[in-house]
mmCIF file of all heavy atoms in Angstrom:
data_model
loop_
_atom_site.group_PDB
_atom_site.id
_atom_site.type_symbol
_atom_site.label_atom_id
_atom_site.label_comp_id
_atom_site.label_asym_id
_atom_site.label_seq_id
_atom_site.Cartn_x
_atom_site.Cartn_y
_atom_site.Cartn_z
ATOM 1 N N ILE A 135 -10.607 -13.817 14.976
ATOM 2 C CA ILE A 135 -11.054 -13.718 16.367
ATOM 3 C C ILE A 135 -12.098 -14.801 16.648
ATOM 4 O O ILE A 135 -12.125 -15.392 17.726
ATOM 5 C CB ILE A 135 -11.607 -12.313 16.655
ATOM 6 C CG1 ILE A 135 -10.465 -11.285 16.557
ATOM 7 C CG2 ILE A 135 -12.292 -12.248 18.019
ATOM 8 C CD1 ILE A 135 -10.894 -9.851 16.728
ATOM 9 N N GLN A 136 -12.931 -15.075 15.671
ATOM 10 C CA GLN A 136 -13.923 -16.131 15.839
ATOM 11 C C GLN A 136 -13.263 -17.503 15.946
ATOM 12 O O GLN A 136 -13.627 -18.324 16.787
ATOM 13 C CB GLN A 136 -14.910 -16.096 14.667
ATOM 14 C CG GLN A 136 -15.779 -14.849 14.636
ATOM 15 C CD GLN A 136 -16.630 -14.757 13.387
ATOM 16 O OE1 GLN A 136 -16.181 -15.105 12.291
ATOM 17 N NE2 GLN A 136 -17.854 -14.268 13.539
ATOM 18 N N GLU A 137 -12.257 -17.725 15.095
ATOM 19 C CA GLU A 137 -11.625 -19.052 15.065
ATOM 20 C C GLU A 137 -10.701 -19.297 16.244
ATOM 21 O O GLU A 137 -10.721 -20.382 16.843
ATOM 22 C CB GLU A 137 -10.841 -19.221 13.758
ATOM 23 C CG GLU A 137 -10.128 -20.565 13.641
ATOM 24 C CD GLU A 137 -9.503 -20.805 12.275
ATOM 25 O OE1 GLU A 137 -9.946 -20.148 11.300
ATOM 26 O OE2 GLU A 137 -8.587 -21.649 12.183
ATOM 27 N N PHE A 138 -9.883 -18.306 16.582
ATOM 28 C CA PHE A 138 -8.869 -18.527 17.612
ATOM 29 C C PHE A 138 -9.235 -17.946 18.980
ATOM 30 O O PHE A 138 -8.647 -18.331 19.991
ATOM 31 C CB PHE A 138 -7.530 -17.933 17.166
ATOM 32 C CG PHE A 138 -6.996 -18.543 15.901
ATOM 33 C CD1 PHE A 138 -6.965 -17.815 14.725
ATOM 34 C CD2 PHE A 138 -6.530 -19.847 15.886
ATOM 35 C CE1 PHE A 138 -6.472 -18.371 13.553
ATOM 36 C CE2 PHE A 138 -6.028 -20.416 14.715
ATOM 37 C CZ PHE A 138 -6.009 -19.677 13.545
ATOM 38 N N GLY A 139 -10.193 -17.022 19.006
ATOM 39 C CA GLY A 139 -10.547 -16.381 20.267
ATOM 40 C C GLY A 139 -11.950 -16.660 20.731
ATOM 41 O O GLY A 139 -12.441 -15.992 21.655
ATOM 42 N N GLY A 140 -12.617 -17.614 20.076
ATOM 43 C CA GLY A 140 -13.975 -17.941 20.474
ATOM 44 C C GLY A 140 -14.962 -16.824 20.221
ATOM 45 O O GLY A 140 -16.007 -16.750 20.867
ATOM 46 N N GLY A 141 -14.643 -15.928 19.299
ATOM 47 C CA GLY A 141 -15.549 -14.844 18.943
ATOM 48 C C GLY A 141 -15.442 -13.617 19.823
ATOM 49 O O GLY A 141 -16.254 -12.700 19.714
ATOM 50 N N SER A 142 -14.415 -13.574 20.695
ATOM 51 C CA SER A 142 -14.252 -12.440 21.596
ATOM 52 C C SER A 142 -12.798 -11.998 21.626
ATOM 53 O O SER A 142 -11.887 -12.842 21.651
ATOM 54 C CB SER A 142 -14.703 -12.814 23.009
ATOM 55 O OG SER A 142 -14.354 -11.798 23.935
ATOM 56 N N VAL A 143 -12.578 -10.685 21.674
ATOM 57 C CA VAL A 143 -11.202 -10.184 21.754
ATOM 58 C C VAL A 143 -10.531 -10.641 23.041
ATOM 59 O O VAL A 143 -9.301 -10.756 23.100
ATOM 60 C CB VAL A 143 -11.158 -8.637 21.637
ATOM 61 C CG1 VAL A 143 -11.609 -8.177 20.263
ATOM 62 C CG2 VAL A 143 -11.996 -7.979 22.726
ATOM 63 N N SER A 144 -11.313 -10.913 24.069
ATOM 64 C CA SER A 144 -10.726 -11.380 25.331
ATOM 65 C C SER A 144 -10.112 -12.769 25.185
ATOM 66 O O SER A 144 -9.284 -13.176 26.010
ATOM 67 C CB SER A 144 -11.781 -11.386 26.443
ATOM 68 O OG SER A 144 -12.836 -12.288 26.138
ATOM 69 N N GLY A 145 -10.517 -13.491 24.152
ATOM 70 C CA GLY A 145 -9.949 -14.805 23.893
ATOM 71 C C GLY A 145 -8.668 -14.751 23.087
ATOM 72 O O GLY A 145 -8.035 -15.788 22.849
ATOM 73 N N CYS A 146 -8.294 -13.556 22.674
ATOM 74 C CA CYS A 146 -7.056 -13.363 21.916
ATOM 75 C C CYS A 146 -5.966 -12.972 22.902
ATOM 76 O O CYS A 146 -5.985 -11.863 23.455
ATOM 77 C CB CYS A 146 -7.243 -12.283 20.855
ATOM 78 S SG CYS A 146 -8.557 -12.653 19.661
ATOM 79 N N THR A 147 -5.037 -13.875 23.144
ATOM 80 C CA THR A 147 -4.039 -13.690 24.190
ATOM 81 C C THR A 147 -2.630 -13.904 23.647
ATOM 82 O O THR A 147 -2.440 -14.284 22.491
ATOM 83 C CB THR A 147 -4.288 -14.689 25.325
ATOM 84 O OG1 THR A 147 -4.083 -16.023 24.823
ATOM 85 C CG2 THR A 147 -5.706 -14.562 25.864
ATOM 86 N N LYS A 148 -1.672 -13.695 24.515
ATOM 87 C CA LYS A 148 -0.279 -13.939 24.159
ATOM 88 C C LYS A 148 -0.091 -15.377 23.687
ATOM 89 O O LYS A 148 0.698 -15.650 22.776
ATOM 90 C CB LYS A 148 0.616 -13.640 25.360
ATOM 91 C CG LYS A 148 2.099 -13.849 25.103
ATOM 92 C CD LYS A 148 2.916 -13.518 26.344
ATOM 93 C CE LYS A 148 4.407 -13.761 26.114
ATOM 94 N NZ LYS A 148 5.217 -13.444 27.322
ATOM 95 N N GLY A 149 -0.821 -16.297 24.311
ATOM 96 C CA GLY A 149 -0.691 -17.714 23.979
ATOM 97 C C GLY A 149 -1.048 -18.048 22.548
ATOM 98 O O GLY A 149 -0.503 -19.001 21.970
ATOM 99 N N ASN A 150 -1.993 -17.306 21.943
ATOM 100 C CA ASN A 150 -2.345 -17.551 20.543
ATOM 101 C C ASN A 150 -1.938 -16.371 19.654
ATOM 102 O O ASN A 150 -2.505 -16.160 18.579
ATOM 103 C CB ASN A 150 -3.839 -17.867 20.380
ATOM 104 C CG ASN A 150 -4.752 -16.755 20.888
ATOM 105 O OD1 ASN A 150 -4.376 -15.588 20.937
ATOM 106 N ND2 ASN A 150 -5.976 -17.118 21.273
#
Side-chain angles (χ1 to χ4, degrees):
I135 294 176
Q136 293 173 321
E137 179 172 339
F138 299 110
S142 171
V143 294
S144 62
C146 301
T147 65
K148 180 180 178 180
N150 59 26

